[in-house]
Amino acid sequence: MTPVRTIEGAAIPFGRANVDTDVIIPAKWLKTISRQGLGRGAFETVRAEAGNVFDDPAYVGSPILIAGENFGCGSSREHAAWALADLGITAVIAPSFSDIFSGNAFKNGILTVELPRAAIDRLMEVARTDPISIDLEAQTVTTRFQDRFTFDIDPFRKHCLLNGLDEVGLTLAMDASISAYETKRATEMPWL
């Protein structure tokens, strides 16, 4: 997993509340176990609407998505996080998230930032014309207009994201301890 420290750039001012995982990636796209290519199906129903932000050239390749309350609700499909990552999104800012979506996003290297509605409204305004910056270490979201919003994050999740550690990476980081345990166990219990 790629470490996440700062995320800067254009932010997609989506803003909708109660966006479920079926809106993020419709069920017909779930016939794959590959993480690649799902960005093509991301927000397919929204993209069918004229003038949607996802097809606006100003936001193509944006690393940040700004959403409304309860983002990622619905089913527990991990494909939703995969689709966002395939779009190039590395952070989603919203007033609240579904717990399962937030967990899936974290496991796939996507930072979820919870901010109050007033902060979301301000960021939506700024995102229409200017970039936004997220500093994970400082736990801040800033704009060039001196806006500064702080956010909370679980210390374990912060550590993992800063160091690019997924579940496999966490296990590999303990390789020396695991090897020492296995050697000791083989010596103490050779019959196993």
Side-chain angles (χ1 to χ4, degrees):
M1 192 164 79
T2 304
V4 176
R5 295 203 176 277
T6 57
I7 304 164
E8 298 176 298
I12 302 168
F14 184 44
R16 289 191 193 172
N18 301 311
V19 173
D20 66 27
T21 53
D22 197 46
V23 171
I24 298 170
I25 186 72
K28 71 179 187 179
W29 289 87
L30 305 183
K31 298 174 185 168
T32 181
I33 57 170
S34 173
R35 298 173 189 217
Q36 280 71 46
L38 289 174
R40 291 189 322 262
F43 300 99
E44 184 176 64
T45 56
V46 176
R47 286 179 158 165
E49 300 168 6
N52 74 82
V53 295
F54 293 101
D55 290 331
D56 185 329
Y59 304 112
V60 172
S62 295
I64 302 168
L65 174 67
I66 304 171
E69 292 84 357
N70 199 27
F71 187 80
C73 58
S75 69
S76 60
R77 62 184 70 160
E78 189 173 17
H79 292 71
W82 295 354
L84 292 175
D86 198 49
L87 277 178
I89 294 172
T90 53
V92 180
I93 305 171
S96 61
F97 296 92
S98 156
D99 286 342
I100 293 172
F101 171 80
S102 184
N104 285 337
F106 158 67
K107 289 178 182 181
N108 286 280
I110 298 172
L111 173 63
T112 54
V113 175
E114 287 190 28
L115 291 175
R117 184 74 234 178
I120 297 298
D121 292 343
R122 174 62 180 151
L123 292 172
M124 289 281 294
E125 180 185 332
V126 171
R128 288 185 178 91
T129 57
D130 290 278
I132 291 172
S133 179
I134 303 170
D135 184 329
L136 177 54
E137 195 155 13
Q139 294 177 215
T140 59
V141 177
T142 57
T143 73
R144 63 176 60 169
F145 303 105
Q146 305 307 312
D147 298 297
R148 180 182 173 87
F149 306 105
T150 59
F151 62 91
D152 293 326
I153 185 170
D154 175 80
F156 174 74
R157 286 186 176 187
K158 180 178 179 179
H159 168 78
C160 290
L161 289 169
L162 284 171
N163 293 289
L165 297 171
D166 59 10
E167 291 162 332
V168 172
L170 283 168
T171 303
L172 291 174
M174 298 172 60
D175 183 50
S177 297
I178 293 169
S179 294
Y181 171 80
E182 290 295 329
T183 300
K184 180 180 175 189
R185 184 171 171 242
T187 303
E188 293 173 354
M189 297 182 230
W191 60 89
L192 292 179

